[in-house]
Amino acid sequence: MTTHPFQDVTHAPALEPLLKQLGPVFQRFDDQDCGCTSYGLLATGRRWFVKTASTPEAASSLHRALSVHRAISHSAIVPLVHSFSTAVGPVLVYPWTSGEVLYHPTRSRHGGRATLGSPLARFRAQPLTWINTALETLLSAHLAVEDAGYVAVDFYDGCMLYDFDQRNMMLCDLDEYRPGPFMLEADRLPGSTRYMAPEEFVRGSLIDIRTTVFNLGRALRLLLDAGDEESQWRGTPAQLAVIAKATASEPEKRLPSVRSLADAWHAAAEQRIG
């Protein structure tokens, strides 16, 4: 069991006074377009990432995140170590994890994914061996998602936390993941259009594991390209063929599961080695 500074806290009227009692806040994230406010807290000799909601929509998302973490566990998914309530919604406590989010959307954003020196541009410029190792991690984590009966929602490069020193990929902010399959009851799901499947924009459509396959296929495509225009492919023809099968417009024409995608990706890698 992880010992943390919130061990006996089940409810607090407000978060910030509690944080001041526990230790110094060394970083505050309050410009996020997700409607959440998060804090880096130093307490009990360790750093912690503390996340709370600043809008009702974000509070609903954090309630969903509690279910996600109860159902899914993987070494590449930043674990939830504690949660408690406040007057405005749930608070989620995570261990502070080294790395940089490959894309961090903020209300006052400037620059972009492909900006020289940005985390994503630096990731894309790495040797292919390192990139392919990170992509294997994405697939492995989503095998655990599939095994738990969940589907990805709002998966994009903002969920990817990469440690450039250790060359280690972790996933965070999987708050919108849901048990699947389900019918879409809104005009669209949350997410980045660069990663989303066509059915995620159609009310009444079926969202299932094939949607997750599409999301992952887009991740493979975008992270193995040197730029956002998708004109500087760094992978192999065999890998590109797998991506084409994963991202077919019609769900029935896609690879049918994350397992089948992972198997096809591994086979393409063997062609590369051969």
Side-chain angles (χ1 to χ4, degrees), residues 6 15-16 19 25 27-41 48-59 61-62 84 86 88-94 96 104-107 173 175:
F6 301 92
L15 178 58
E16 291 199 359
L19 296 179
V25 171
Q27 197 162 352
R28 178 185 171 108
F29 306 89
D30 57 4
D31 190 33
Q32 312 308 301
D33 64 6
C34 63
C36 290
T37 299
S38 301
Y39 306 83
L41 175 72
W48 306 93
F49 184 82
V50 185
K51 185 175 183 179
T52 188
S54 50
T55 67
E57 294 78 13
S61 182
L62 294 189
F84 59 95
T86 67
V88 297
V91 175
L92 277 54
V93 181
Y94 299 89
W96 184 269
H104 218 102
T106 61
R107 290 188 293 266
D173 292 343
D175 304 352

Side-chain angles (χ1 to χ4, degrees), residues 138-205:
L138 297 184
L139 293 174
S140 176
H142 282 87
L143 288 173
V145 172
E146 180 173 76
D147 290 345
Y150 272 64
V151 295
V153 177
D154 195 19
F155 172 66
Y156 72 121
D157 34 40
C159 302
M160 304 172 196
L161 183 66
Y162 190 73
D163 186 328
F164 285 90
D165 293 330
Q166 299 298 318
R167 302 197 292 273
N168 184 54
M169 176 71 84
M170 297 289 290
L171 295 180
C172 60
D173 292 343
L174 307 184
D175 304 352
E176 293 292 338
Y177 281 36
R178 304 172 193 188
F182 66 90
M183 300 298 292
L184 178 54
E185 298 179 352
D187 290 334
R188 61 161 286 174
L189 283 170
S192 166
T193 58
R194 301 163 69 249
Y195 284 78
M196 293 171 71
E199 62 268 22
E200 295 185 76
F201 299 92
V202 181
R203 181 185 289 268
S205 64

